[in-house]
Amino acid sequence: MVKSFLMIGQSNMAGRGFIHEVPPIYNERIQMLRNGRWQMMAEPINYDRPVAGISLAGSFADAWSRENEEDIIGLIPCAEGGSSIDEWAVDGALFKHALYETKFAMQNSELSGILWHQGESDSSNGNHKVYYQKLLLIVAALRKELNAPHIPFLIGGLGDFLGKEGFGKHCTEYELMNQELQRFAFEQDDCYFVTATGLTSNPDGIHIDAISQRKLGLRYFEAFINKQHVLKPLINENKLISLHNARIHTKAEKMYLLSMDFALGKISYEEFEAQFKVINND
């Protein structure tokens, strides 16, 4: 059975971590919705821009798959870089697209959670003052339209690196936004807050870097599996990340990686054939 998760928000949900900075995650029990089909996950998962990269979804899904060895997890990527809370209004294109994709995915999966990370675009000009009510309308509409009144809604906090340098300097009210995000999770049923405390950014000062995205995904999973807020970094984050990196690939995953290497011109057809025979005979 495929257990699916909708991922919405802006660029730090889509992922901007540099792909070369962390070992990739390949797992045949992690699927992503692309072109109307469940495909084996490959990063970037949420290809909203050519600069898309590592997101929190990979490590979230990998942690989930270790705890659920009989099922498949399906990721529904619908985040949009730079989007404001107003662009996620229930009558807008982003909301309608996410709703359509999720309903489509639910034809052959069980929706198990919604992951939200958004707020950088609203961390100035007093936008935090009206954020709560706008998010409330979005969450209520999603639950109603998806017939999932108690679906877990996971809310990520904004990084404490904001407001200091690069593009992040414009997020002058990120601390006030974090207060609203946390208040919403504390007050609304089946909502859980996930802290970004201690995470680091790319040189642009606004996008969570690759290793921190891996950590954030683990925190999201911790909130999901325990149905409780995660208000400080996990004590075993580095150990859990090493489990991702040390995992031995299955035959299907090795075939997938080999096919990718050939398609990308990294190996010749003769090398492909030789390695294919070795994998197939394992």
Side-chain angles (χ1 to χ4, degrees), residues 11-48:
S11 55
N12 276 323
M13 175 58 76
R16 297 292 188 264
F18 300 148
I19 288 181
H20 68 275
E21 290 188 345
V22 292
I25 294 175
Y26 291 104
N27 187 324
E28 63 181 316
R29 292 196 298 109
I30 303 176
Q31 306 281 306
M32 60 182 182
L33 188 63
R34 184 167 289 177
N35 294 334
R37 302 178 61 185
W38 290 118
Q39 303 180 22
M40 188 189 298
M41 185 201 89
E43 295 171 302
I45 300 163
N46 196 123
Y47 198 86
D48 65 318

Side-chain angles (χ1 to χ4, degrees), residues 42-138:
E43 295 171 302
I45 300 163
N46 196 123
Y47 198 86
D48 65 318
R49 300 284 192 283
V51 294
I54 300 297
S55 72
L56 62 92
S59 55
F60 173 88
D62 203 49
W64 185 96
S65 69
R66 285 201 305 273
E67 293 290 328
N68 300 272
E69 297 181 355
E70 303 301 319
D71 291 319
I72 295 171
I73 181 172
L75 304 173
I76 310 168
C78 292
E80 172 67 13
S83 56
S84 67
I85 189 72
D86 287 335
E87 291 178 277
W88 283 97
V90 297
D91 58 349
L94 294 181
F95 181 91
K96 291 177 180 178
H97 173 252
L99 195 62
Y100 175 85
E101 290 286 286
T102 307
K103 287 183 175 180
F104 181 82
M106 290 172 71
Q107 293 178 22
N108 58 2
S109 75
E110 177 185 328
L111 185 66
S112 299
I114 300 174
L115 281 59
W116 171 265
H117 196 286
Q118 193 281 331
E120 291 90 347
S121 291
D122 294 279
S123 293
S124 60
N125 301 319
N127 291 335
H128 66 279
K129 297 175 184 178
V130 293
Y131 191 93
Y132 190 112
Q133 289 301 317
K134 292 179 178 181
L135 183 57
L136 187 62
L137 292 174
I138 294 168

Side-chain angles (χ1 to χ4, degrees), residues 135-209:
L135 183 57
L136 187 62
L137 292 174
I138 294 168
V139 174
L142 280 171
R143 287 174 167 169
K144 179 181 178 180
E145 293 289 340
L146 298 172
N147 192 27
H150 301 292
I151 195 76
F153 193 88
L154 310 181
I155 301 172
L158 306 184
D160 47 22
F161 49 76
L162 293 172
K164 298 177 177 65
E165 59 185 6
F167 298 127
K169 285 192 294 187
H170 301 289
C171 303
T172 55
E173 299 172 357
Y174 81 92
E175 292 175 305
L176 295 171
M177 181 59 69
N178 265 340
Q179 291 174 19
E180 290 303 296
L181 292 166
Q182 186 167 310
R183 183 167 74 92
F184 187 97
F186 282 12
E187 293 179 357
Q188 297 301 314
D189 293 339
D190 304 302
C191 291
Y192 307 99
F193 181 79
V194 181
T195 185
T197 298
L199 301 185
T200 49
S201 74
N202 290 339
D204 60 16
I206 194 167
H207 291 124
I208 301 170
D209 63 26

